[in-house]
Amino acid sequence: EIIMKSIGERIRDRRKELHLTQTDIKAACGISSGALSEIENGNRTPSVIIFHALSEVFSYTHLRAHETRHDLV
């Protein structure tokens, strides 16, 4: 339970760092807002498929943000 809460908190923190809403994640990963909320609150374990989708969204968003900042310099 403690491990899942930590993962959920990390997911929420990363989503907020990237200025993404739960709706953004829902659309990109094909999961419901309720499921994401449960994961972020540590009440649900993300499946491997969802975890992979989340990592793809977070990595892509991070790369795009870096690319955009780099292009402006």
Side-chain angles (χ1 to χ4, degrees):
E1 182 179 345
I2 293 171
I3 293 171
M4 294 303 15
K5 184 147 181 105
S6 178
I7 289 171
E9 287 174 353
R10 289 178 184 189
I11 290 170
R12 181 181 55 241
D13 291 346
R14 184 68 176 143
R15 176 178 60 78
K16 288 182 176 184
E17 253 177 43
L18 296 171
H19 305 287
L20 298 171
T21 65
Q22 286 188 344
T23 302
D24 296 329
I25 300 298
K26 173 184 152 185
C29 295
I31 61 175
S32 70
S33 297
L36 181 58
S37 179
E38 288 179 358
I39 291 168
E40 289 185 350
N41 289 318
N43 298 323
R44 181 176 179 166
T45 305
S47 69
V48 172
I49 293 169
I50 290 174
F51 199 76
H52 179 31
L54 289 168
S55 67
E56 291 279 318
V57 169
F58 292 156
S59 294
Y60 177 77
T61 303
H62 175 73
L63 290 173
R64 291 296 300 159
H66 176 71
E67 185 178 288
T68 302
R69 280 193 292 260
H70 179 71
D71 290 343
L72 294 175
V73 174

